[in-house]
Amino acid sequence: MVERKSFSSRISGFYKKSMAQRLELIADSGLLSQDSQEHLAAGGALDVTVADRLSENVIACHGLPLALALNFRINGRDIVIPMAVEEPSIVAGCSNAARLVRLSGGFFAEATDPVMTTQVQLDEVPEPERAVETLEACRGELLDAANRAIPNMVRRGGGCRDLEVRILDAEEGVVVVHLYVHVGDAMGANLVDTVAEAVAPVIQRHIGGRIGLRILSNLPLRRTVRATARVSTEAVGGEEMALGLLRASRFASLDIFRAVTHNKGVMNGIDAVAMATGQDWRSIEAGAHAWAALTGRYQPLATWSRTDDGIEGVLEMPMAVGTVGGSTTVHPGVAAAFELMQLSGARELAEIMATAGLASNLAALRALAGEGIQRGHMRLHHRKDRLLAEAQAHANQAEGDRR
Ligand code: MEV
C-alpha cells in the first residue's frame, strides 16, 4: 500500500501561473521525489541513450507537452492526472468536467482483477466437439503447464486462472483455446504470450491438429473497468444543457458515425494518460473499439442518463495497463507521473484512465450541446494556432537569414 499525502486537486488559477511556478506548487505538496522534480524541471525529456535502448534505429526523442488535469476526485480521493497530449482543450475540458462532477462527490470507478486473455489457435483438429470435452477434462494439467511457464508471476500471486475452448470452424477443425491469466500489476502481454507458447504443445498432444498462432487478445473481456459520474442539472449548466447532453448520448447510441466521434472524445482523455504513463495505447485503442462493436453494432463507450436531480454518465471498457515492466520502469517521466497520482498499482491506473475518458466525454458533449465546438472548445486551439504561426515566422526569418 502506498502511503499517501493528503492533497487537494482543486488548485485555482493553476493555468495562469508560469510553468516553473506550477511545478513548484506541485513539488511543495510533497507528491514528487527529488529525482522526479529535477527531471521535470529540466524539461522532462527522455535521455537519448535510454531512448536508443527502448526502440530501433533511434535518431532522437519526440516530445509532447506534459500537463496536469486538475479537480479530480476519484473514489473519494483527490488526484491530479498527468496527460501527455498536444490538444489543449483535452486537459482544460477534463479539468472543467472534474470540477462539476466534484460538486456531486466526484467520480467512482472500479476495475476488475487484472486477468488477461491469451489465445492458442489449432487448425485441422480431427474431432473438434470431442476436443472441447477432452480439454475440459485435462483443465488442471493445462493450467499447471501455464503456471510452470511463469513461476515469478505465480509467486507474486498471479497465474493462469481459467481456460475456455471455442470452435471457430467445426468442418475445418479450427479450435481456439483461451487462457485467462492474472498478471498482477503488469500489462502482461509478454507474460501471456509466454503462457500461450508453453501450453500450445500440451493442447496439441491431447487433441491433435496443427498449432497456429499463440498470442494475447487485445480484447481482454476479463480485464475491464467501469467509471461513473453524476452531475446536477444546475452544475451542468441548466435544464437545456442537461437535455442536450442526453440527446447527444442518444445520438451516439443510434448512429455509428456519431458513436465513433463520441468515442474519440472518450479516448482523448484515456490516451493522454496512457502516453504520460508509458502504456501501450495502441492495445487500449484496439480493445476499446472492439468492445464498442461487441454486440455487432458499434456503440458509445460512455452513455448518459437522467437522475432525480441531473444526469449520470457510465463508461465501461477493457483496460489492459501496467505499472511495472515495459517502458514504465525505464522512463523517468513515467515514474514522475506515477508519483503525481500516488498510484497503488495497475488496477487503480485503469480506474483513473477510465475516469479521464468519462471526463473528456462530458467536456466534449457540454461544448457540443452548448455553444458549439468552434467557440468553446476551439478557443484554446486558436492559442496553439498563434503559437504555430509564430514558430513558422521564426523559421521563415531564420531561412531568410541563411540565404
Ligand atoms: C475532438 O478531439 C473530440 C470531439 O469531436 C469529441 C466529440 O465530438 O464528442 C469534440
Side-chain angles (χ1 to χ4, degrees):
M1 228 15 213
V2 284
E3 204 181 300
R4 284 172 171 154
K5 307 251 167 350
S6 99
F7 163 80
S8 171
S9 64
R10 180 96 184 84
I11 311 172
S12 66
F14 195 65
Y15 71 101
K16 290 187 197 147
K17 299 189 187 301
S18 70
M19 229 157 67
Q21 286 170 331
R22 288 181 205 134
L23 189 54
E24 199 180 312
L25 208 150
I26 291 296
D28 283 350
S29 63
L31 295 181
L32 289 167
S33 65
Q34 192 59 33
D35 281 357
S36 292
Q37 280 181 49
E38 282 166 18
H39 172 73
L40 296 177
L46 182 62
D47 189 321
V48 281
T49 54
V50 177
D52 198 20
R53 274 184 277 132
L54 274 179
S55 188
E56 205 56 38
N57 295 352
V58 173
I59 55 166
C61 271
H62 173 85
L64 274 178
L66 177 67
L68 294 180
L70 302 179
N71 307 326
F72 277 87
R73 178 167 291 164
I74 307 174
N75 297 337
R77 180 166 86 82
D78 268 32
I79 181 162
V80 289
I81 305 187
M83 294 187 164
V85 67
E86 83 298 343
E87 200 178 324
S89 51
I90 296 172
V91 179
C94 283
S95 303
N96 199 27
R99 188 175 52 78
L100 305 181
V101 174
R102 192 182 175 85
L103 298 171
S104 311
F107 295 84
F108 291 91
E110 190 172 8
T112 63
D113 276 342
V115 175
M116 290 292 275
T117 306
T118 192
Q119 298 190 292
V120 178
Q121 172 200 2
L122 287 113
D123 295 332
E124 300 165 26
V125 172
E127 292 174 282
E129 302 289 351
R130 271 251 325 258
V132 177
E133 285 170 33
T134 309
L135 292 178
E136 283 299 340
C138 63
R139 136 188 310 266
E141 182 191 341
L142 297 174
L143 298 189
D144 284 349
N147 284 330
R148 271 198 306 278
I150 48 167
N152 291 340
M153 180 46 69
V154 172
R155 219 169 294 128
R156 290 203 296 272
C160 194
R161 298 286 196 257
D162 195 11
L163 66 84
E164 195 181 3
V165 189
R166 300 167 56 221
I167 301 173
L168 300 189
D169 187 326
E171 241 167 62
E172 294 190 12
V174 183
V175 173
V176 63
V177 180
H178 284 193
L179 295 147
Y180 297 104
V181 187
H182 189 301
V183 295
D185 283 319
M187 185 275 187
N190 288 332
L191 274 160
V192 301
D193 292 350
T194 302
V195 165
E197 289 183 9
V199 179
V202 186
I203 295 173
Q204 188 190 38
R205 233 178 6 254
H206 282 283
I207 64 169
R210 277 163 64 100
I211 293 175
L213 306 188
R214 295 143 295 159
I215 184 82
L216 92 165
S217 167
N218 283 123
L219 180 58
L221 289 184
R222 298 195 188 183
R223 194 177 194 181
T224 60
V225 61
R226 187 172 196 272
T228 59
R230 282 172 171 243
V231 196
S232 70
T233 303
E234 193 193 342
V236 84
E239 182 59 22
E240 266 308 297
M241 177 62 86
L243 268 178
L245 253 137
L246 296 172
R247 287 172 55 214
S249 179
R250 173 109 178 101
F251 181 13
S253 297
L254 292 173
D255 180 37
I256 185 172
F257 294 95
R258 174 55 207 158
V260 68
T261 320
H262 179 102
N263 287 346
K264 193 273 181 178
V266 169
M267 298 312 291
N268 272 345
I270 292 174
D271 288 344
V273 189
M275 292 293 286
T277 56
Q279 304 301 315
D280 179 350
W281 50 270
R282 287 86 55 207
S283 92
I284 301 169
E285 281 280 347
H289 297 291
W291 171 271
L294 204 57
T295 60
R297 220 177 106 210
Y298 187 90
Q299 289 289 302
L301 297 166
T303 51
W304 293 85
S305 59
R306 263 264 183 243
T307 59
D308 289 347
D309 66 341
I311 56 169
E312 180 179 37
V314 178
L315 176 144
E316 207 170 345
M317 61 182 284
M319 191 66 81
V321 291
T323 52
V324 295
S327 71
T328 60
T329 41
V330 289
H331 198 308
V334 172
F338 289 168
E339 287 170 17
L340 285 164
M341 292 186 284
Q342 306 195 72
L343 212 55
S344 65
R347 267 181 79 159
E348 192 175 37
L349 178 58
E351 290 163 359
I352 291 167
M353 287 171 67
T355 298
L358 189 57
S360 175
N361 177 243
L362 173 60
L365 296 193
R366 271 190 85 234
L368 289 164
E371 58 183 2
I373 200 75
Q374 288 307 105
R375 269 194 68 198
H377 215 61
M378 298 302 275
R379 200 176 299 130
L380 292 157
H381 288 250
H382 294 149
R383 191 180 68 189
K384 189 168 76 180
D385 288 346
R386 279 198 301 278
L387 193 76
L388 293 176
E390 275 169 34
Q392 188 58 52
H394 273 297
N396 292 346
Q397 172 78 44
E399 182 65 27
D401 291 349
R402 268 201 299 280
R403 286 213 178 114

